[in-house]
């Protein structure tokens, strides 16, 4: 019995009898559009699963939040209405407070170290809470690039961000970071951002290079601050009900296939981050302020850690981990 089976059974998820080998089309949901690296890797995962299962397994992919926002997809996973999803660590913080530590401001200096954190045993330990807290099994982490700020107006100091309505991915830990320097965080799902920006409902956003390029947010928010202020993770999830109904062999097949594409996703983000910034330097009308570090935000790291370190020991554990890099 693997640790994930044991955890699932302990969480009361293990009730279905393992299915005999049979054809299976898994429904998988994502918030990102077909052009996104995640979706490309999910398409590749489909091929890997088909190949390794001799054609028994395939995926039917629901991109761009077609099944609803991430909170809705998480509920669907819990009931078994959805089989799999690639969801942000931000969404999971609502049910798994330890996950908030992965959004600690300025935890790492660069994307290479972010990859090391997501591949660490400490981060993997956080996945152990998922069956009980969400009714899902977290097979692996992947990531998006580091987060930057994309603003409508020029920003020369943290004071210029005061009162600015900045779109964030819904998550209390991210929200508090923005509140701590006086901004007004506006939680909003990814597909809703472009229109909100075009209609001037928000003054800027918290985003990674991949989506800034894909969605051309700079058309309405041309002032990009290269802050790298937090890492942004993804967890590849399988519904606990679905997992419990699979044979041990099929679980291993799915876990190994998923891990391969989580790893490829991480590698691609690490390898392509610098090129994406170079692409953005060429974008029409964009103004990039490079090298904005934690000092720009004063004592924000200490204040955030004081508050969130009380909610989860993983803040201190992850800070200790990155000291060893
Ligand atoms: C976001 O909410 O900002 C986001 C979610 C998934 C992928 C990229 C961005």
């Amino acid at each position: 019995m693997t640790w994930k089976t044991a955890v699932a059974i302990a969480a009361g998820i293990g009730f279905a009898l393992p299915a005999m080998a049979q054809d299976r089309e898994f429904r998988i949901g994502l918030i990102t559009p077909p052009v996104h690296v995640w979706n490309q890797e999910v398409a590749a995962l489909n091929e890997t699963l088909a190949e390794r299962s001799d054609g028994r397994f395939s995926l039917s992919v629901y991109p761009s939040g077609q099944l609803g926002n991430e909170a809705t997809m998480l509920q669907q996973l819990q009931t078994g209405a959805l089989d799999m999803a690639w969801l942000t660590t931000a969404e999971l913080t609502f049910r798994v407070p330890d996950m908030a530590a992965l959004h600690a401001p300025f935890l790492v200096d660069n994307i290479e170290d972010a990859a090391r954190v997501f591949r660490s045993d400490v981060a993997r330990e956080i996945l152990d809470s998922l069956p009980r807290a969400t009714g899902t099994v977290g097979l692996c982490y992947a990531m998006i690039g580091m987060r930057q700020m994309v603003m409508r107006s020029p920003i020369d100091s943290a004071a210029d961000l005061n009162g600015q309505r900045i779109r964030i991915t819904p998550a209390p830990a991210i929200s508090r970071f923005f509140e701590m320097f006086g901004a007004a965080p506006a939680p909003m799902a990814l597909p809703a951002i472009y229109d909100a920006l075009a209609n001037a409902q928000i003054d800027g956003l918290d985003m990674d290079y991949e989506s800034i390029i894909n969605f051309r947010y700079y058309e309405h928010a041309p002032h990009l601050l290269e802050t790298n202020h937090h890492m942004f993770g993804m967890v590849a999830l399988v519904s606990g009900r679905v997992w419990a109904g699979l044979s041990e062999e099929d679980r291993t097949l799915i876990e190994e296939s998923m891990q391969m594409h989580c790893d490829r996703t991480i590698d691609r983000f690490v390898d392509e981050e610098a090129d994406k910034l170079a692409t953005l330097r060429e974008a029409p009308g964009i103004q990039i302020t490079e090298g904005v570090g934690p000092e720009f935000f004063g004592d924000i790291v200490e204040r955030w850690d004081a508050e969130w370190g009380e909610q989860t020991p993983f803040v201190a554990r992850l800070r200790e981990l990155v000291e060893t890099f």
Side-chain angles (χ1 to χ4, degrees), residues 40-55 57-59 253 257 260-261 264:
Q40 293 170 23
E41 285 303 322
V42 162
L45 170 66
N46 188 20
E47 287 171 23
T48 304
L49 284 173
E51 199 181 300
R52 292 192 173 189
S53 68
D54 293 326
F57 291 161
S58 63
L59 297 176
L253 186 158
S257 306
M260 175 175 154
H261 291 284
R264 284 194 186 171

Side-chain angles (χ1 to χ4, degrees), residues 13-267:
I13 292 169
F15 27 73
L17 282 176
M20 301 307 289
Q22 60 185 21
D23 287 1
R24 189 83 197 249
E25 187 179 64
F26 295 105
R27 289 156 51 92
I28 182 165
L30 309 91
I31 199 74
T32 45
V35 66
H36 197 273
V37 171
W38 290 4
N39 302 58
Q40 293 170 23
E41 285 303 322
V42 162
L45 170 66
N46 188 20
E47 287 171 23
T48 304
L49 284 173
E51 199 181 300
R52 292 192 173 189
S53 68
D54 293 326
R56 280 188 304 120
F57 291 161
S58 63
L59 297 176
S60 120
V61 184
Y62 296 86
S64 306
Q66 268 176 22
L67 300 177
N69 62 22
E70 291 200 314
T72 305
M73 284 191 261
L74 193 53
Q75 281 168 7
Q76 292 164 348
L77 287 170
Q78 196 159 16
T79 62
L82 181 61
D83 301 314
M84 299 176 177
W86 279 22
L87 298 188
T88 61
T89 48
E91 176 58 41
L92 293 168
T93 64
F94 286 101
R95 309 263 196 109
V96 182
D98 290 338
M99 199 70 82
L102 293 168
H103 290 277
F106 301 103
L107 176 64
V108 292
D109 294 335
N110 53 60
I111 195 161
E112 289 81 8
D113 283 353
R116 296 171 85 178
V117 171
F118 286 121
R119 287 180 161 135
S120 70
D121 290 343
V122 182
R124 278 207 82 93
E125 221 180 294
I126 300 174
L127 297 181
D128 293 352
S129 326
L130 283 169
R132 193 175 296 278
T134 67
T136 68
V137 177
L139 296 187
C140 47
Y141 287 102
M143 68 190 298
I144 326 172
M146 302 295 292
R147 296 297 264 208
Q148 322 296 343
M149 292 187 200
V150 190
M151 304 299 300
R152 297 173 75 89
S153 326
I155 303 294
D156 296 320
S157 69
D160 293 338
L161 292 165
N162 199 26
Q164 299 258 326
R165 198 166 153 72
I166 304 178
R167 177 273 167 182
I168 59 161
T169 308
I174 303 174
S175 202
R176 283 298 293 143
F177 170 71
F178 282 82
E179 284 168 2
M180 280 179 180
F181 60 77
M188 192 180 288
L190 185 69
I193 302 174
Y194 191 88
D195 285 351
L197 198 56
N199 298 332
Q201 288 159 7
I202 49 176
D203 302 311
L205 56 142
D206 171 26
M207 192 48 71
D208 55 87
Y209 293 142
E210 166 87 9
S211 291
I212 297 169
I213 293 170
N214 287 345
F215 289 98
R216 303 165 72 93
Y217 295 126
Y218 50 81
E219 290 177 347
H220 297 283
H223 301 277
L224 193 159
L225 294 184
E226 187 212 13
T227 50
N228 289 321
H229 58 276
H230 64 132
M231 337 183 289
F232 212 94
M234 179 281 275
V235 183
L237 297 165
V238 180
S239 161
R241 287 174 183 263
V242 171
W243 193 249
L246 294 168
S247 69
E248 196 79 40
E249 244 177 35
D250 284 345
R251 285 188 198 134
T252 303
L253 186 158
I254 291 168
E255 192 168 0
E256 287 176 359
S257 306
M258 199 69 98
Q259 185 68 57
M260 175 175 154
H261 291 284
C262 277
D263 282 336
R264 284 194 186 171
T265 303
I266 291 179
D267 290 342

